[in-house]
Structure formats: C-alpha cells, structure tokens
Amino acid sequence: VRGILTLAMIAFFFIIIYLGPMVLMMIVMCVQIKCFHEIITIGYNVYHSYDLPWFRTLSWYFLLCVNYFFYGGTVTDYFFTLVQREEPLWILSKYHRFISFTLYLTGFCMFVLSLVKKHYRLQFYMFGWTHVTLLIVVTQSHLVIHNLFEGMIWFIVPISCVICNDIMAYMFGFFFGRTPLIKLSPKKTWEGFIGGCFATVVFGLLLSYVMSGYRCFVCPVEYNNDTNSFTVDCEPSDLFRLQEYNIPGVIQSLIGWKTVRMYPFQIHSIALSTFASLIGPFGGFFASGFKRAFKIKDFANTIPGHGGIMDRFDCQYLMATFVNVYIASFIRGPNPSKLVQQFLTLRPDQQLHIFNTLRSHLMDKGMLTAATEDE
C-alpha cells in the first residue's frame, strides 16, 4: 500500500506541475491548512481540551489572520499592477498592516474573554500551542510560495531533492544498512544517510540540467496587465545559460576532460541537494521526537501507509526556509519593478525630486548627456 500510494503521489506531483504555478500555490495552501489541522488536533487530544470555550474557533481564526497578513503582502509585491487598478484591493493593500493588526487584536481579546477559572493553565497551553503551530506551518508555507514565484525551478528542484533523498536513503539503508544513525529513528543508518546524500547530489545535478533549458521553469511568475493573466515568460538570466567551466587538474586525469558545459544553476543545485540530504533529514528527526514525546505513531491517518500530510512534509518545510534564505543571500538582487512600484505610489513632487536626483547622478557618471536629455 505504501509503495502504490508513493507512486500515486509522485504522479499527482507531475500533474500539478503541468497545471502551472497558480495551481501549485493553491495546493500549498491546502497542504498548509491540513498540516495545521493535524497538529492542532494532536494538542486537542493530548491535553483533553474538550471543555475549553472557543478553542477550535480561535485556532482557525488565528490561522485566517496570519494568512491574511502574509499573503496580503505577497499579492501587493508580485501583482502591484492588478492591486493598483482595483480600488478595493488598493485600499486593502494601503492599510494592510493596520487591518492585520486589528484582526489579530480581535482574536486576542476574544481569547482573554474566553478564559474560565478552572482551565486557565490549559487555555494558555493551547494558546501557545496554536502560535507555535502557526510559526512552523504558516510561516514556512509562505516561504514556499515566495520560492515558487521566483521561478518554478526553485520550487520543484528542492522538493524533488528531499523526495529523492528519502527514497534513496531508504534503499541504501535497506540493502547496506548496518550502523544506527540516531536513537530518535532506530531504522535510520549511516549507510543509508551517506548513500542517500551522494544519490541526491547526482539527482539534483541531472534534474537541474534538464529544467534549466525550459523558460516555463526558470522564469518568475508575473501578472500581465494587458491580458489580465499570470504569465511565465522571460529572457532567461545568466543563471540559466550554458557556460564552460574548467575542470580541476586532479579530476582531468581521471575523466580525460578539460572543460565541461553546464548551467550556473547546477552549481547552486549542489548546495540545495547537499542541504536536502545532510540537514533536511533533521526535520524528520524533529518530527519523530515530537511524536515520541506525545506517544503517537503518526500525525494523522490521512494517507494509508504514510500517516498524515505533516508526516510527508516535515522535511519540506525546513528545506523551503533554506531555499528562501539562499535566494535572498546569494541570488536575488535589487528588483527594478518593485522600485518602480514604490516610485509610483509617491506624491508628484516626490517623484519629481527623485527624477531630478537620478538625472543628476546619471549625468555625473557620464551615462546621460545634455544632448541626450534634449532628445
């Protein structure tokens, strides 16, 4: 059953990739909601929170508030032209933080009003449980969406590397495993851990090579104001253009090649796949420790043979956070479109001041002459 459903999930993964980034975003939202439900249900059962007033209502209300805060900002950042054109969206965008704070403050007051004498400690336990769950699930799923909008390749390659590492670590451990790796997961072995790492790095290089040649995977998701639709089309950056690299002398003597042509993204994929195989499993170890602490086998029984949705995504959330940090640290530069968006929201006199400052700067640099300006 586990094997059949694994193949079914992989097939489903290919289908939603084919359907495009917006469907992927909706799937991420559904996964987030289900993971939240599984963890909250565990707290509800473990602490026997059956008599707490408003507990479930407040938990889902806080989920709504946090999602509104995160995704409202994302919509403004990536779909500014759409927001600017629609007046209701523009108002929501302009007062986004205030509305978010007001919503959360309402929930906070509702929680205080719900406190009853016999359940003070239990209610504060569950208040903390809800907020930690929001931090783990909602924040990291929001980062998944950010990675997706940078280009589907930043979403597919990391997720595929985690899946590959999970499968290959199991295979190497099954056939060659002898040495236990960690007490939290007695079935994990050093042989499986090391073999899975090597296989994942090779897989990441090959998958990155294939995907880097397709614009639909490497281009960021943008909103086209003319067609009123989301598009994935651009001129690929240098990151996704084949380049020639010299091979170190030691390796040259072994393989006989002096140079190799590859995409720069493949070099980054080594970092992604290495993290997926060395640090990513610690997300699974953390989840194992959590389940042992509360004496449960799985987060839920949503998927026969696999447990709950959270059992499948424990490593993925940690991976998504790393990818987001990696992009921000080593890949993403200043975004001209966002600067233009901010410029257009200024008052006319402020726009004129910035224009004159920029013109003076370009003339000092010799990039703009008086003759060019007259033309």
Side-chain angles (χ1 to χ4, degrees), residues 146-148 150 154 272 322-333:
H146 266 256
N147 300 341
L148 175 61
E150 290 294 329
W154 292 104
L272 300 180
F322 171 74
V323 173
N324 192 268
V325 172
Y326 188 88
I327 292 173
S329 301
F330 304 109
I331 304 298
R332 185 191 298 129

Side-chain angles (χ1 to χ4, degrees), residues 6 50 117 151 233 345:
T6 298
Y50 306 111
K117 189 172 182 180
D233 189 26
T345 59

Side-chain angles (χ1 to χ4, degrees), residues 186-294:
K187 294 182 180 180
K188 304 288 185 182
T189 63
W190 275 105
E191 291 80 3
F193 186 75
I194 296 171
C197 177
F198 175 77
T200 303
V201 171
V202 174
F203 172 80
L205 282 169
L206 295 175
L207 180 63
S208 300
Y209 180 82
V210 173
M211 295 187 65
S212 295
Y214 294 91
R215 292 189 179 189
C216 59
F217 292 133
V218 303
C219 291
V221 181
E222 296 178 346
Y223 180 78
N224 190 315
N225 197 38
D226 297 327
T227 60
N228 292 324
S229 61
F230 299 99
T231 60
V232 184
D233 189 26
C234 67
E235 188 64 31
S237 65
D238 292 338
L239 204 61
F240 305 104
R241 293 178 181 174
L242 282 171
Q243 298 185 22
E244 199 167 86
Y245 294 92
N246 293 321
I247 298 176
V250 178
I251 302 178
Q252 282 185 28
S253 60
L254 295 175
I255 63 176
W257 296 349
K258 293 184 178 180
T259 61
V260 62
R261 285 176 60 81
M262 59 188 300
Y263 295 99
F265 179 79
Q266 288 181 271
I267 299 174
H268 294 292
S269 76
I270 296 175
L272 300 180
S273 56
T274 301
F275 182 91
S277 52
L278 295 183
I279 308 298
F282 280 82
F285 301 152
F286 177 86
S288 297
F290 178 88
K291 289 183 283 189
R292 286 178 179 274
F294 295 101

Side-chain angles (χ1 to χ4, degrees), residues 69-133:
F69 172 73
F70 280 123
Y71 289 97
T74 300
V75 169
T76 302
D77 287 342
Y78 287 97
F79 311 120
F80 181 78
T81 53
L82 174 64
V83 171
Q84 191 178 39
R85 190 181 61 189
E86 303 293 336
E87 187 174 352
L89 292 178
W90 172 244
I91 294 173
L92 290 174
S93 172
K94 184 177 181 180
Y95 301 106
H96 174 67
R97 286 184 178 273
F98 180 77
I99 295 172
S100 300
F101 177 73
T102 302
L103 289 172
Y104 182 83
L105 198 60
T106 302
F108 178 80
C109 293
M110 289 170 62
F111 169 75
V112 173
L113 292 173
S114 72
L115 292 172
V116 291
K117 189 172 182 180
K118 294 182 180 180
H119 301 292
Y120 287 153
R121 180 178 296 183
L122 185 56
Q123 285 180 289
F124 278 99
Y125 276 151
M126 297 314 302
F127 184 79
W129 184 283
T130 299
H131 281 68
V132 171
T133 304

Side-chain angles (χ1 to χ4, degrees), residues 37 57 160 170 184 311:
H37 171 258
T57 302
S160 300
Y170 173 79
L184 280 173
D311 290 284

